Amino acid sequence: MHPIKLVVIAGAAALFASQAFAEDTMGTMTMMKGGQVTAIMPDGHMGTMMPDAKTSAEMMKTAKPLKHCMMMMTDAKGKTYMIDTSTKKAQAECEKMAM
C-alpha cells in the first residue's frame, strides 16, 4: 500500500508541474529559422514548413520583406486580425511586445 501512495503522489506532482510549465511557455514566440515558411489562417491556426530549395526559390519570387513590426490578434470567436502598426506609437508597442 505504501508504494501505491508514492506513485499517486508522484503522478499528482508531475501533473501539476506539467501544467505550470505549459502556462509559462504559452504566448512566447521564437524566431523563425532561415528558409522556414509560416502560414496563418483566418481562424488563427498556424502551420510551418521547411520547403526544398526549388519550392523556396519559387516562393521568394513573390515574397516582400517586412518593413516594420507586425501584430496579429484573435477575437473571441477565433477570427484573426492584423493590427495596423504604421504609426510611431503602434510601432513602439509592437517592438516592446516583441522583445
Side-chain angles (χ1 to χ4, degrees):
M1 185 153 130
H2 187 62
I4 294 173
K5 285 183 183 178
L6 289 176
V7 170
V8 170
I9 291 170
L15 177 65
F16 291 124
S18 67
Q19 288 176 347
F21 179 73
E23 289 175 3
D24 285 343
T25 59
M26 291 296 289
T28 59
M29 301 279 297
T30 59
M31 289 181 55
M32 293 174 62
K33 297 176 178 88
Q36 180 178 340
V37 177
T38 301
I40 303 170
M41 296 297 291
D43 66 358
H45 78 270
M46 296 172 47
T48 61
M49 69 179 271
M50 291 293 288
D52 58 28
K54 182 180 177 185
T55 306
S56 182
E58 288 294 317
M59 289 179 171
M60 283 302 287
K61 289 179 183 176
T62 60
K64 297 176 185 173
L66 295 178
K67 295 181 182 177
H68 51 78
C69 184
M70 297 177 69
M71 293 170 63
M72 293 186 199
M73 177 180 193
T74 305
D75 67 5
K77 295 179 181 177
K79 187 167 182 175
T80 303
Y81 297 86
M82 188 162 64
I83 298 170
D84 180 14
T85 56
S86 59
T87 65
K88 286 191 180 266
K89 182 179 179 184
Q91 275 296 302
E93 265 312 297
C94 186
E95 290 170 7
K96 182 175 139 185
M97 185 186 305
M99 292 298 156

